[in-house]
Amino acid sequence: HDAYSNIKWGHPRWNTIPYTVAFQGRFNIHPFCFPVFLCPQHQNGMYGLHQGVHHFNSFDGVQSLPLLLGQANIRTGIIGKKHVGPGPVYPFDFAYTEENNSVLQVGRNITRIKLLVRKFFQTQRKEEEERPFFLYVAFHDTHRCGHSQPQYGAFCEKFGNGQSGMGRIPDWKPEYYTPDQVKVPQFVPDTPVARADLAAQYTTVSRLDQGIGLVLAELREAGYENDTLVIYSSDNGIPFPNGRTNLYGSGTAEPMLVSSPEHRERWGGTSQAYVSLLDITPTLLDWFSIPYPSYFLLGTPTTPVSLTGRSLLPALVSEPSPAAWHTVYASQSLHEVTMYYPMRSIHQGAYRLLHNLHYRMPFPIDQDFYVSPTFQDLLNNTLTGQPTGWFKTLQQYYYRDRWELFDLRSDPEEAVNLAGDPALAPVLESLRDRLLKWQWDTGDPWVCGPDAVLEDKLEPHCRPLYNGL
């Protein structure tokens, strides 16, 4: 799903940010965010993950970021996680991902990642005419792995630590934490089990953090530090209750750090502008001075596809107007093929509105989260009637209202749904109208759900089902 955050601008030297990485350069580039984030998942056809049995693909006609960059003679590379397809729509000149390697090696082994980055730069310099480049490094830390490689721990925090049977990652100096050292987010149950789970994730954060340093060191060693745009972000919230797969702030608010050697005015500063992963592609196209082509997709056969994000480069020069940069949208339909739960949301100013289209269904739980110590503890405590240490019940988590409205000034935890408050009826109506317009503009096939069916063959409109919703 699409994530957003406030931005921090700065020089490309940062530490301890617990998520995925990416890079880019004016004549060298590499961003974070899956290259599919040209437009929302409901528009490009990539409704869920492209992996294993969850074999979702975007439409063949999608003009993806690596495709456009390749057509502009820009060399492209990807290292690590990759959950997009089909291959011809997302072509990379240099690719070491979970599709052709062990994800542990290309996503968690920071020494291996370092050497692959070095190999990319070495082959870059060997070309007869050195081209601009785009390199995307997607670390698998800090995702869970207890469902697939439990021998390495819930987050693969033991992988490569040098202990018996764990192998050794030469460049990693593991940092270990005790449960009493961690800071428990307000949306996670504050229990001994959850604290131990978080402590394990902190260890993988240390591996990620050290890996980022290795990648930036390779960038400097290759001589590209002073002409490369660097962007650091993540794809979703942490895999804990109310986090990943949710459109609450705890599932969508991400780190976003940007460093440009050509925009030093705001180095070390922060911005309050609301931005989205959908802004990354426009930013890179702007950086390379590449126009976005005019073409059509199935969902909008009569309207050319337009990028719903915007370039972040102007925000590197001066703080954007709050009135112009205070709204972001998010969309999710499926995470895995077994996790159908379409949701749309808008966050504008102090308010967030969520539309749970199939709200009478129980919210689905993904496999790796289900077997996690935190969820098993929450599940067992609920079944036995013991305190859960959580701010909501499991029943409330499973079954949600159709509309959820939160005032983030008074309720940052998003614990009180104000959608039924008569005093906020104008706010609810305004946000619903804006969200609906965005769905129509982006060709959302779910735009009429759950109480109407989309008629799009002649004049697009919703036909009522009279189903009592």
Side-chain angles (χ1 to χ4, degrees):
H1 58 260
D2 310 326
Y4 62 87
S5 67
N6 292 339
I7 317 172
K8 180 177 178 64
W9 317 115
H11 193 269
R13 293 189 178 91
W14 313 297
N15 281 333
T16 59
I17 306 296
Y19 294 98
T20 314
V21 131
F23 293 68
Q24 315 164 21
R26 163 71 89 182
F27 289 106
N28 323 301
I29 232 171
H30 152 173
F32 168 72
C33 110
F34 289 121
V36 73
F37 285 128
L38 293 159
C39 45
Q41 52 80 26
H42 64 248
Q43 184 178 18
N44 61 36
M46 189 99 197
Y47 305 132
L49 296 179
H50 174 86
Q51 66 168 32
V53 298
H54 319 297
H55 195 60
F56 291 96
N57 283 298
S58 63
F59 297 130
D60 292 340
V62 169
Q63 301 293 292
S64 75
L65 183 60
L67 185 68
L68 294 175
L69 295 182
Q71 292 172 350
N73 198 35
I74 294 167
R75 187 163 175 260
T76 60
I78 180 172
I79 299 169
K81 288 188 65 196
K82 182 174 182 284
H83 289 322
V84 296
V89 175
Y90 303 95
F92 287 89
D93 300 315
F94 181 96
Y96 289 83
T97 73
E98 58 197 294
E99 294 182 345
N100 54 20
N101 283 263
S102 162
V103 71
L104 292 179
Q105 294 300 323
V106 297
R108 298 185 190 266
N109 184 339
I110 60 175
T111 297
R112 171 71 168 153
I113 294 170
K114 174 191 76 174
L115 294 176
L116 287 172
V117 171
R118 183 178 301 173
K119 182 177 181 179
F120 178 84
F121 289 145
Q122 288 174 342
T123 54
Q124 171 79 5
R125 289 195 297 266
K126 287 180 180 178
E127 291 193 348
E128 292 183 8
E129 181 180 353
E130 191 168 335
R131 294 182 288 162
F133 71 80
F134 164 91
L135 176 60
Y136 164 44
V137 181
F139 288 81
H140 201 255
D141 290 326
T142 55
H143 287 70
R144 291 188 178 276
C145 77
H147 64 299
S148 54
Q149 294 98 14
Q151 68 273 24
Y152 296 125
F155 286 92
C156 279
E157 68 274 10
K158 301 176 185 178
F159 175 68
N161 66 4
Q163 296 177 3
S164 177
M166 298 297 108
R168 182 173 178 272
I169 300 174
D171 288 294
W172 183 36
K173 297 176 179 58
E175 298 178 14
Y176 299 103
Y177 301 86
T178 60
D180 62 312
Q181 289 179 298
V182 305
K183 181 178 180 180
V184 181
Q186 56 79 22
F187 57 88
V188 174
D190 192 349
T191 64
V193 172
R195 283 181 169 272
D197 210 8
L198 284 165
Q201 189 184 46
Y202 275 26
T203 295
T204 60
V205 169
S206 78
R207 181 166 58 208
L208 165 66
D209 188 49
Q210 293 170 37
I212 294 168
L214 294 174
V215 173
L216 292 178
E218 292 298 320
L219 186 74
R220 290 193 295 272
E221 184 65 24
Y224 297 127
E225 180 182 24
N226 294 322
D227 57 4
T228 298
L229 175 67
V230 178
I231 298 180
Y232 173 100
S233 189
S234 177
D235 57 347
N236 46 242
I238 60 175
F240 282 83
N242 241 59
R244 187 182 71 169
T245 75
N246 286 277
L247 294 191
Y248 301 119
S250 46
T252 56
E254 306 303 332
M256 174 70 82
L257 292 88
V258 182
S259 178
S260 166
E262 298 185 4
H263 301 81
R264 303 192 177 204
E265 297 91 335
R266 305 192 69 195
W267 272 14
T270 60
S271 172
Q272 296 305 308
Y274 289 2
V275 303
S276 164
L277 293 183
L278 295 175
D279 296 322
I280 290 182
T281 290
T283 301
L284 300 189
L285 296 180
D286 186 14
W287 180 262
F288 283 122
S289 300
I290 298 173
Y292 193 64
S294 177
Y295 70 101
F296 301 86
L297 289 176
L298 295 178
T300 52
T302 60
T303 305
V305 174
S306 61
L307 294 175
T308 52
R310 73 181 95 196
S311 172
L312 300 179
L313 296 188
L316 297 177
V317 178
S318 61
E319 177 68 4
S321 165
W325 291 60
H326 77 324
T327 304
V328 286
Y329 300 89
S331 173
Q332 172 156 303
S333 299
L334 297 105
H335 178 63
E336 298 170 350
V337 72
T338 53
M339 294 181 63
Y340 179 65
Y341 198 84
M343 300 175 287
R344 306 293 182 263
S345 75
I346 176 173
H347 181 185
Q348 184 174 78
Y351 296 99
R352 176 178 289 110
L353 177 69
L354 285 81
H355 187 194
N356 301 307
L357 278 77
H358 285 206
Y359 63 100
R360 289 191 175 181
M361 293 170 53
F363 185 78
I365 305 298
D366 49 330
Q367 183 190 36
D368 57 344
F369 174 50
Y370 180 83
V371 301
S372 71
T374 296
F375 186 76
Q376 284 298 304
D377 186 53
L378 175 60
L379 191 66
N380 292 330
N381 285 338
T382 299
L383 290 174
T384 58
Q386 300 299 311
T388 64
W390 204 22
F391 77 107
K392 63 172 66 173
T393 68
L394 195 56
Q395 180 77 4
Q396 290 170 331
Y397 189 61
Y398 286 150
Y399 294 97
R400 309 177 181 193
D401 294 327
R402 177 174 179 175
W403 296 98
E404 295 183 272
L405 176 66
F406 303 105
D407 185 338
L408 304 179
R409 295 165 301 186
S410 59
D411 181 25
E413 294 84 7
E414 297 175 300
V416 180
N417 181 11
L418 301 174
D421 187 341
L424 291 177
V427 174
L428 176 64
E429 182 179 3
S430 174
L431 293 177
R432 284 175 60 171
D433 289 346
R434 287 177 176 270
L435 182 59
L436 185 63
K437 181 180 185 303
W438 179 71
Q439 290 182 265
W440 280 113
D441 290 344
T442 55
D444 188 349
W446 283 268
V447 66
C448 297
D451 48 12
V453 64
L454 174 62
E455 170 60 70
D456 61 354
K457 299 303 181 185
L458 299 174
E459 179 184 351
H461 65 285
C462 297
R463 300 178 69 104
L465 291 169
Y466 304 110
N467 56 10
L469 297 180

